[in-house]
């Protein structure tokens, strides 16, 4: 049996067949060219066993990124596991927006709910003169974020365990958050690989998914500099609710709802 025949045998049984080749290539550290050249050769017993193992895990809806143990995000390679959400491509758009709108040196940045550290580390890597504080309520997520800081040799970042602002002090030029924002009633529409494997603490929030935004809106004024800005990632149906919430607390600031590349409401800026 060739590698191609082995892949085809398993792929037709998977809901996301492309993940099989992705995990195999990554696990065997094959370039795309080397993988293509391999496909029409006879599969080894070791690789047949490895392919079967990957197939079994994907069949149980385990996320491909958790099997691989790493994912790419805004030019960084981040370790990922069940301690934190897998960073999404939409969040890269939020990072790009922040960097495009803020070119100053020596800014202080607070990332609320850092998870893997994706946002905080990307900003700190791109702007080495910024001082970034990454916070999370989960000690396990913070440990993973610190692991990723070491992995990517990023030094201009600190970490704190905090429930929103409970263990944060000082004033910040930029406060950014991609908080839990899924309402409990949305569980029925969620993919099993997300619902069964990714941490619910980082997915779900009370008050129809708005609870963390409410905490931020009610308290953030005390932690912003005079010209400080707020950047938020939101669920694609939350644009109106979250923007109204912040406009209520910041009647003199501009609150903008921005779309992602798919045209869905995804980001809110308050400046």
């Amino acid at each position: 049996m060739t590698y191609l025949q082995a892949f085809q045998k398993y792929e037709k049984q998977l809901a996301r067949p492309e993940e099989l080749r992705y995990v195999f290539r990554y696990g065997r550290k094959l370039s795309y060219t080397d993988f293509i050249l391999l496909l029409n050769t006879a599969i080894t017993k070791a690789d047949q066993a490895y392919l079967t193992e990957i197939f079994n895990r994907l069949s149980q809806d385990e996320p491909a990124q958790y099997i691989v143990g790493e994912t790419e995000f805004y030019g960084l390679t981040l370790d990922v596991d069940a301690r934190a959400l897998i960073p999404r491509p939409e969040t890269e758009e939020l990072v790009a927006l922040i960097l495009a709108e803020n070119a100053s040196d020596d800014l202080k940045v607070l990332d609320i709910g850092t998870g893997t550290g994706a946002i905080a580390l990307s900003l700190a890597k791109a702007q080495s003169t910024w001082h970034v504080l990454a916070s999370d309520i989960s000690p396990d997520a913070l440990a993973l974020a610190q692991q990723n800081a070491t992995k990517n040799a990023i030094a201009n970042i600190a970490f704190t365990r905090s429930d929103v602002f409970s263990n944060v002090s000082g004033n910040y030029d930029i406060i950014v958050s991609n908080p839990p924002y899924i309402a409990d009633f949305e569980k029925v529409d969620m993919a099993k690989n997300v619902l069964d494997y990714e941490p619910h603490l980082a997915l779900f929030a009370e008050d129809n998914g708005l609870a963390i935004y409410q905490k931020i809106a009610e308290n953030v004024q005390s932690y912003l500099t005079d010209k400080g800005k707020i950047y938020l990632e939101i669920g694609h149906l939350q644009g109106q609710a979250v923007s109204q919430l912040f406009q209520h607390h910041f009647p003199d600031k501009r609150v903008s709802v921005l779309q992602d590349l798919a045209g869905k409401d995804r980001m809110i800026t308050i400046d």
Side-chain angles (χ1 to χ4, degrees):
M1 178 183 289
T2 66
Y3 282 87
L4 180 59
Q5 290 169 328
F7 276 105
Q8 289 174 336
K9 169 188 170 185
Y10 285 134
E11 284 170 339
K12 63 185 180 183
Q13 303 176 62
L14 291 172
R16 296 173 298 279
E18 70 283 353
E19 293 182 342
L20 188 69
R21 300 189 189 206
Y22 163 74
V23 175
F24 183 88
R25 274 185 56 208
Y26 209 107
R28 287 295 190 247
K29 296 179 170 57
L30 295 170
S31 69
Y32 182 74
T33 301
D34 288 341
F35 177 73
I36 294 299
L37 293 173
L38 189 69
L39 284 177
N40 288 318
T41 64
I43 191 168
T44 65
K45 287 185 178 179
D47 280 350
Q48 178 68 66
Y50 182 51
L51 196 59
T52 301
E53 177 194 345
I54 298 169
F55 168 76
N56 289 337
R57 294 176 72 175
L58 291 174
S59 296
Q60 297 299 312
D61 293 302
E62 186 173 352
Q65 294 92 333
Y66 283 171
I67 299 174
V68 166
E70 292 181 339
T71 194
E72 302 300 316
F73 183 89
Y74 211 80
L76 302 178
T77 300
L78 301 177
D79 290 341
V80 291
D81 58 37
R83 288 176 287 178
L85 292 187
I86 300 163
R88 268 59 171 181
E90 295 87 349
T91 307
E92 292 181 301
E93 298 179 47
L94 181 62
V95 170
L97 176 68
I98 294 170
L99 292 171
E101 292 189 351
N102 300 276
S104 303
D105 292 339
D106 298 320
L107 295 183
K108 289 184 65 180
V109 180
L110 170 63
D111 176 25
I112 298 171
T114 198
T116 60
I119 294 174
L121 292 169
S122 297
L123 296 175
K125 183 75 170 182
Q127 290 283 6
S128 60
T129 60
W130 289 7
H131 306 278
V132 180
L133 177 62
S135 73
D136 205 289
I137 194 173
S138 165
D140 291 335
L142 277 179
L144 180 59
Q146 289 174 299
Q147 181 179 315
N148 281 323
T150 302
K151 182 185 184 78
N152 289 279
I154 298 171
N156 55 316
I157 189 167
F159 300 89
T160 186
R161 185 182 180 190
S162 184
D163 180 0
V164 188
F165 297 110
S166 66
N167 194 35
V168 170
S169 60
N171 296 101
Y172 298 86
D173 303 292
I174 295 170
I175 294 178
V176 57
S177 185
N178 177 19
Y181 56 66
I182 301 173
D184 282 337
F185 70 82
E186 296 179 272
K187 286 182 181 180
V188 294
D189 298 320
M190 293 179 65
K192 281 180 63 63
N193 61 330
V194 176
L195 192 58
D196 291 353
Y197 287 91
E198 298 196 61
H200 285 202
L201 181 64
L203 287 168
F204 298 101
E206 296 178 349
D207 297 327
N208 291 324
L210 300 176
I212 309 303
Y213 299 115
Q214 289 170 343
K215 278 189 178 182
I216 294 173
E218 290 167 3
N219 298 283
V220 69
Q221 190 79 51
S222 301
Y223 300 91
L224 275 178
T225 58
D226 289 341
K227 295 183 179 180
K229 302 177 183 178
I230 305 167
Y231 292 86
L232 305 166
E233 183 168 329
I234 59 170
H236 68 95
L237 298 177
Q238 293 177 319
Q240 182 177 3
V242 178
S243 62
Q244 287 178 348
L245 173 65
F246 278 85
Q247 197 68 78
H248 172 73
H249 287 276
F250 292 91
D252 297 326
K253 284 187 176 284
R254 178 180 59 180
V255 178
S256 306
V257 181
L258 304 175
Q259 288 72 46
D260 60 22
L261 291 175
K264 296 180 178 180
D265 288 352
R266 186 64 61 188
M267 296 164 281
I268 286 183
T269 62
I270 300 99
D271 58 18

